[in-house]
Amino acid sequence: MNLTTDRAQGIAIVRIGETRLMYPLLADFSGAVSSLLAGGEKKVVIDLSKVTYVDSATIGCLMDLYRQTSAAGGELRLAGVNKRVETMLTMTGAHNFLEVHADQASALKSFGA
């Protein structure tokens, strides 16, 4: 899976380099974010700016990561969500839990960084 992690202003950033984030890739994706949380990260941004399609399994995965982050006392933000992905988040109700930002800078700023 094409995925990178970085840090900026004390916030972990997970950048997805795939255009389609679907079931076969979710174990690697979820594992990367879970490892950050296990390592003590409390603020995580998932940059989806290259992602143009997600399936229902991805929505479930994002909700699970949201629950893990919240349970660890942290916060999770999504950045760079395109219209098609945003529609999926809205249709499933995930947008009620997942904070969505237009870009990475906006997501980082939302933490007060």
Side-chain angles (χ1 to χ4, degrees):
M1 166 172 205
N2 186 356
L3 175 145
T4 60
T5 57
D6 198 3
R7 289 185 57 75
Q9 304 165 355
I11 300 165
I13 302 165
V14 178
R15 291 185 186 90
I16 309 300
E18 305 284 342
T19 56
R20 299 170 63 87
L21 186 55
M22 302 183 311
Y23 175 73
L25 304 174
L26 296 181
D28 290 342
F29 167 61
S30 179
V33 178
S34 294
S35 292
L36 291 171
L37 297 173
E41 295 291 346
K42 297 289 186 199
K43 298 176 181 179
V44 179
V45 171
I46 298 174
D47 186 340
L48 297 171
S49 56
K50 293 189 178 171
V51 178
T52 59
Y53 176 82
V54 296
D55 62 3
S56 59
T58 302
I59 301 296
C61 180
L62 289 169
M63 290 304 300
D64 184 54
L65 292 172
Y66 166 79
R67 284 188 286 274
Q68 286 181 44
T69 307
S70 295
E75 299 176 71
L76 179 74
R77 308 278 196 271
L78 302 181
V81 176
N82 81 12
K83 198 66 175 160
R84 188 174 185 184
V85 174
E86 186 176 10
T87 298
M88 281 291 289
L89 293 169
T90 302
M91 285 174 42
T92 59
H95 71 292
N96 293 316
F97 301 92
L98 299 168
E99 194 171 312
V100 177
H101 293 272
D103 54 34
Q104 182 181 303
S106 171
L108 292 173
K109 191 173 183 178
S110 74
F111 285 110

